[in-house]
Amino acid sequence: MMAILASASAPIPLAQARTVAGKQGFCRTADPLPRLGAEVEQNRQQTGYGVGGKHREKVAMTSPPPPPAPPPPPPPSAYIDSASPVVSESRASASADEASSAEPAPVAGSSGDYRTSPPIVPPRPWPRPQPQPQAGILTAGEHDDLLNPELYAAYVNRSDLGQDIRALPRVDTMRVVTVKVNDRNGQPVPFADVVVTCSDGNSITMATQADGSAVFFPGLDRLSERISVSAKKAGRAIADARPVLVANAPGGQSVGLTTNQMATKATKLDLMLVIDTTGSMGDEISFLQAELRSIIGAITAKHRDLDIRIGFVFYRDIGDEYVTRSFAFDRDIGKAQGMLARQSANGGGDYPEAMDQALIRAVGQEWRPDAVKSLLLVADAPPHNDKFGQTWAAAEAARAKRIHITPVAASGVADEAEYAMRAMAAATQSRYLFLTDDSGVGNPHAPPAIDCYLVTRLDALVRRVVDSQISGRRIEPEDQEVIRSVGNYDAGKCVLPADFKWQS
């Protein structure tokens, strides 16, 4: 079924879905998480690639011992460097003003030709002078494919990746069934189990996020034409079953369930960071470490009422010093920040990496059922072609556990990685984040196949995304935080022209 979903060039009609479901049953549930052996580290001289990129000449190297944790970074406002265009809010505003006066120009990788604000290319050649690694320097944009289903459908339809790599998923955001569970005061009920029962008696259970919603995809989940939707918590029914006719047409459906149980706020957060530490990440890894340490500190400082645990999975590739290096969830934030600071970029070789094993390790950790679950995937390369199936199986297992997968795409990300990352983000009700060239740090970043977004500082962006996952409401940046804008952006949505067509 996965191959059928991936290879289609347009959303699967409901009639076709019925034919497939007639053989396999409706209401498809995720397969069990693939199993891996114990983690092993190689204490030997290894052959790796330099930090400048994955395709440099091989050199023999011995991995040095991890460096000691650096001191906490100074506040971003203390940093001034003429080599970086992002140094303060006032200069960021100036950059935004310059961007608004730029002439329109087509952008490589664009999924449409109506954008009016192209990415700004700094005048200095690469490589540019690098500032000292600290928080508040890296810049990034974000995109929510669930809020922009027409654009995502157009992106998937014009891509041939589904034919090249059969295990790549097809997440049809044009046809979704969003179930929202509220109490009688209209407040969202988080972590309620939504049960969708199909016409053949099979059922899918998906827990609501902090905003009280659970999203189902008729094609991916193989929903029957008629379903019933109910909700329960702790095994007890909290909302009566409601019949729903799944629409056989593009467009989202919303199903509301009301419960007598009063809504409560989230009190726990499990944050897992999954980070590619191969050599090609060397141009940005020290900056990312500073940014992520700052993000962890800021989240814990802002949400002192939350019980927060942090975990890590660092990964490289087969034949490296290690394939995965996992650290279980821990409440000791200082220990977590020190653990992150001691990592270094090394190894790799070919372009793909062991993302499949990293996600399997991360999803298989002991996540708390009553916590907001957030997984940040920081990477610049896809899994190997024959491992896309395992990677997607891990993503579906994450979705079944109600884990948000939030990718952070670094320099070097190309078509396969962007496609896989965006599919994982959409399936788990999350967003796709990507670094931009505005900071001047690292190798050039390929323009994403995205039509509109705002560029802000990475640390502020990640904090907003995690805060949104905790609060259940989308949080937009303040005007002074925006460095520049691309396309016609409106609170996470791209405003489309009247003649826009998502399918040719």
Side-chain angles (χ1 to χ4, degrees):
M1 180 61 185
M2 185 60 64
I4 294 174
L5 286 170
S7 62
S9 59
I12 296 178
L14 192 56
Q16 183 179 344
R18 291 196 201 105
T19 300
V20 176
K23 297 178 181 178
Q24 301 185 26
F26 291 114
C27 278
R28 183 186 71 88
T29 56
D31 292 331
L33 187 68
R35 303 186 67 175
L36 300 173
E39 290 182 321
V40 177
E41 298 214 9
Q42 304 292 333
N43 296 318
R44 58 178 174 80
Q45 189 180 55
Q46 69 179 74
T47 299
Y49 280 72
V51 298
K54 290 183 180 290
H55 304 291
R56 293 182 179 269
E57 183 180 358
K58 282 191 175 183
V59 292
M61 63 180 70
T62 302
S63 297
S77 59
Y79 173 71
I80 298 178
D81 189 316
S82 60
S84 173
V86 184
V87 295
S88 68
E89 289 185 350
S90 60
R91 291 185 65 183
S93 299
S95 298
D97 292 339
E98 293 170 6
S100 64
S101 63
E103 289 295 326
V107 180
S110 168
S111 60
D113 58 0
Y114 62 89
R115 290 192 287 179
T116 60
S117 180
I120 296 172
V121 179
R124 293 179 295 278
W126 297 91
R128 288 180 270 171
Q130 300 295 285
Q132 289 298 311
Q134 58 181 296
I137 295 179
L138 294 183
T139 56
E142 63 90 7
H143 188 69
D144 190 331
D145 283 311
L146 289 177
L147 288 181
N148 297 276
E150 299 91 349
L151 287 175
Y152 187 69
Y155 165 70
V156 172
N157 287 341
R158 74 170 180 276
S159 172
D160 59 359
L161 293 174
Q163 286 73 41
D164 293 342
I165 305 173
R166 304 285 291 181
L168 275 171
R170 180 183 178 83
V171 180
D172 185 2
T173 60
M174 286 294 290
R175 293 182 62 233
V176 300
V177 178
T178 302
V179 181
K180 298 211 69 173
V181 181
N182 293 328
D183 65 14
R184 291 197 175 276
N185 295 324
Q187 296 301 308
V189 178
F191 318 147
D193 290 326
V194 174
V195 182
V196 170
T197 304
C198 289
S199 57
D200 61 357
N202 290 337
S203 63
I204 306 172
T205 300
M206 202 79 66
T208 58
Q209 299 288 358
D211 64 354
S213 73
V215 173
F216 297 85
F217 302 91
L220 188 67
D221 294 324
R222 268 205 319 264
L223 301 185
S224 55
E225 184 176 13
R226 295 180 183 276
I227 60 174
S228 68
V229 180
S230 60
K232 60 183 180 180
K233 204 162 188 179
R236 183 177 64 86
I238 60 173
D240 295 335
R242 175 177 173 181
V244 175
L245 180 65
V246 178
N248 184 17
Q253 292 178 262
S254 183
V255 180
L257 297 177
T258 303
T259 172
N260 287 324
Q261 187 173 89
M262 297 300 294
T264 56
K265 293 183 179 180
T267 59
K268 300 176 183 178
L269 169 67
D270 284 346
L271 177 62
M272 174 66 64
L273 290 87
V274 180
I275 305 174
D276 179 347
T277 57
T278 54
S280 66
M281 291 287 289
D283 62 324
E284 292 170 325
I285 192 70
S286 58
F287 291 89
L288 284 165
Q289 287 169 312
E291 301 281 4
L292 293 172
R293 291 200 308 274
S294 172
I295 290 165
I296 291 170
I299 290 173
T300 54
K302 180 177 180 180
H303 299 282
R304 297 187 184 279
D305 56 336
L306 282 185
D307 177 2
I308 300 177
R309 303 190 308 169
I310 311 290
F312 297 98
V313 175
F314 304 101
Y315 71 97
R316 291 181 179 172
D317 205 359
I318 305 297
D320 288 335
E321 178 188 1
Y322 61 87
V323 179
T324 61
R325 178 185 282 171
S326 304
F327 298 93
F329 286 113
D330 198 311
R331 291 183 175 86
D332 189 334
I333 304 304
K335 177 181 175 183
Q337 291 176 318
M339 190 73 67
L340 176 61
R342 287 192 291 272
Q343 306 308 310
S344 60
N346 206 338
D350 55 357
Y351 177 50
E353 309 297 1
M355 181 187 289
D356 56 308
Q357 292 199 35
L359 285 174
I360 292 169
R361 300 280 187 201
V363 176
Q365 296 294 318
E366 294 296 325
W367 299 79
R368 293 175 292 184
D370 56 347
V372 173
K373 306 173 188 178
S374 186
L375 187 157
L376 295 180
L377 172 61
V378 184
D380 68 345
H384 291 270
N385 281 7
D386 62 343
K387 299 300 183 183
F388 270 101
Q390 285 220 123
T391 305
W392 183 244
E396 287 209 312
R399 179 181 176 227
K401 286 188 173 185
R402 190 179 42 76
I403 300 170
H404 292 288
I405 297 180
T406 305
V408 180
S411 62
V413 162
D415 293 344
E416 292 90 347
E418 179 177 347
Y419 189 107
M421 288 177 168
R422 289 176 66 175
M424 288 188 280
T428 60
Q429 296 178 243
S430 190
R431 310 185 217 171
Y432 175 66
L433 279 56
F434 47 92
L435 298 183
T436 69
D437 285 342
D438 302 78
S439 67
V441 171
N443 297 322
H445 301 79
I450 291 171
D451 296 87
C452 78
Y453 54 91
L454 302 180
V455 176
T456 64
R457 290 181 355 193
L458 174 67
D459 59 346
L461 171 57
V462 175
R463 289 199 302 268
R464 287 196 305 274
V465 170
V466 175
D467 284 347
S468 297
Q469 293 170 353
I470 294 170
S471 66
R473 60 183 181 85
R474 183 181 176 89
I475 301 173
E476 289 293 316
E478 300 293 335
D479 290 343
Q480 65 269 21
E481 295 182 89
V482 178
I483 297 168
R484 64 181 172 95
S485 62
V486 173
N488 197 350
Y489 179 93
D490 182 20
K493 297 182 180 181
C494 296
V495 179
L496 303 177
D499 60 349
F500 177 83
K501 294 182 179 180
W502 60 271
Q503 185 178 11
S504 60

